[in-house]
Amino acid sequence: MSLQSPKSQAKELIACGHPYYPPVSWVQQQQLVGVAPAVVKLIFDELGYQVRLDAVGNWKRCLSEVKTGHADIVVAAYKIASREPDFDFSQQYIVDDPIGIYVNANDSTIYHSLNELKSKTVGLLFGDSFGDSLDKFIEKNNQIEYVSKGKQNLEKLAHGRIDFMPLGIISGKLQTKKFGYSKKIIVAPFKLKTEYYYLALSPQSEISQHLPYINQRLKELHQSGKIEQLLNQYSNIYLESSGEAVIP
C-alpha cells in the first residue's frame, strides 16, 4: 500500500526549529530554513503530509509548542535526558554537531580544558542545550547570562561582556564570519564531544507511527550524500543572505 496520499487531502503538520543555528535551521525573512527543515519537508511529503514551517518565536517556545501538542515537529534537537520523556525522537540522527568553546581572541588566557573555565561567565540562548555533560558542568560551575537572539551572545563575547559561549563548530564558523567577528572570536584549542541533532516529534501527534520509515529514510539520505549536499548548500545560503532574523 502506498505511503502517499493525494496532496489535496494531505494533512498539515506544524514544524518549528532553532531560529539561530545555521546550517541546521535558522529564520530568514520570517521563514524557517536550513538542512533540517528541508529534510523534514522531504520525508513528510513522501508520507503524504504538508508541512508548515513556523517561526514561532525563540527556541524555548518552539520546544514548548511541540511538547504540549500545539505543534507537531521540532525539525532538529539534541536527545538529552530532560527532553526524552517529552518527545518521540528518531533513532537516526539528522546531522552531527561537534561542539566548540568560543572565546574572545584578545583574552590573554589560553584555555586548555573546561576546568579552566570554572567561575567564568557564559552566554546561552534561552532553551539551549549542548548535551547533558556540558549542561551539567555549566550549571554547576559558571555564571549564566541568557539572551533571546543568537547575535546578542556574539556581540557580548566580542566586546568582552561574557567570557565564553559553547556553539557547534560549523555553526560558529558561519555565524562569526557572517557578522564580521572571525578575528575577534575564536575556538578554544581543546576538543569537546560531538553531539547529534535528531528529529523530535510530539507524542500527542499521530506521526510517531512513521518513525520506522523516518529512520530508514534518514539513513538513506546520509548514505546517498544528500545530507552532506544540503549542509554545503545551506551554509552558502546563510552566508549570502542579508540581515538577521527578526522574531517577535
Side-chain angles (χ1 to χ4, degrees):
M1 186 170 73
S2 173
L3 288 168
Q4 296 194 17
S5 60
K7 299 297 180 186
S8 60
Q9 299 176 17
K11 180 177 178 180
E12 183 180 72
L13 302 175
I14 301 173
C16 61
H18 201 302
Y20 302 108
Y21 212 90
V24 178
S25 70
W26 76 99
V27 174
Q28 179 177 304
Q29 297 178 346
Q30 303 301 312
Q31 297 294 320
L32 187 69
V33 297
V35 176
V39 168
V40 165
K41 291 203 76 170
L42 185 156
I43 292 176
F44 281 95
D45 180 73
E46 294 171 353
L47 288 166
Y49 294 92
Q50 292 181 350
V51 177
R52 173 158 62 90
L53 296 169
D54 199 358
V56 298
N58 63 37
W59 178 220
K60 187 175 182 179
R61 183 180 169 194
C62 169
L63 295 168
S64 176
E65 289 288 295
V66 177
K67 174 183 174 179
T68 56
H70 293 100
D72 302 284
I73 305 166
V74 181
V75 296
Y78 286 178
K79 192 188 297 185
I80 57 173
S82 61
R83 291 177 184 164
E84 291 204 55
D86 299 321
F87 301 93
D88 290 335
F89 285 94
S90 61
Q91 291 182 338
Q92 174 67 49
Y93 67 88
I94 300 177
V95 292
D96 58 338
D97 194 33
I99 303 300
I101 295 295
Y102 282 79
V103 297
N104 189 304
N106 292 323
D107 191 332
S108 59
T109 304
I110 298 176
Y111 300 102
H112 296 284
S113 72
L114 267 182
N115 285 331
E116 295 176 11
L117 290 164
K118 286 182 177 180
S119 79
K120 300 291 184 179
T121 300
V122 58
L124 296 177
L125 201 65
F126 286 112
D128 258 350
S129 168
F130 292 95
D132 287 318
S133 58
L134 183 53
D135 291 349
K136 289 175 183 176
F137 176 90
I138 288 172
E139 184 177 354
K140 180 180 179 180
N141 297 292
N142 297 108
Q143 302 171 55
I144 304 172
E145 292 191 9
Y146 288 102
V147 297
S148 58
K149 297 181 179 181
K151 189 180 178 183
Q152 291 173 310
N153 270 333
L154 293 172
E155 291 173 339
K156 290 169 73 173
L157 185 56
H159 292 94
R161 297 200 294 270
I162 57 175
D163 297 306
F164 74 97
M165 59 181 288
L167 195 58
I169 289 175
I170 296 172
S171 189
K173 286 180 179 179
L174 289 174
Q175 292 187 55
T176 53
K177 184 175 182 178
K178 169 92 168 176
F179 296 119
Y181 292 132
S182 295
K183 294 183 179 180
K184 295 181 178 180
I185 297 173
I186 58 174
V187 183
F190 62 88
K191 290 185 178 181
L192 295 176
K193 67 182 293 188
T194 296
E195 296 292 341
Y196 296 88
Y197 272 106
Y198 297 86
L199 193 61
L201 311 180
S202 172
Q204 300 181 48
S205 174
E206 66 181 39
I207 57 177
S208 294
Q209 64 181 308
H210 299 302
L211 277 170
Y213 181 85
I214 292 166
N215 288 321
Q216 180 60 32
R217 287 297 286 128
L218 286 172
K219 184 177 180 180
E220 291 169 354
L221 291 170
H222 278 286
Q223 292 173 340
S224 69
K226 179 66 174 178
I227 299 286
E228 186 65 29
Q229 179 253 314
L230 289 171
L231 283 166
N232 292 329
Q233 175 185 339
Y234 280 100
S235 292
N236 290 330
I237 288 172
Y238 176 74
L239 291 175
E240 292 168 2
S241 64
S242 59
E244 187 192 21
V246 178
I247 299 176

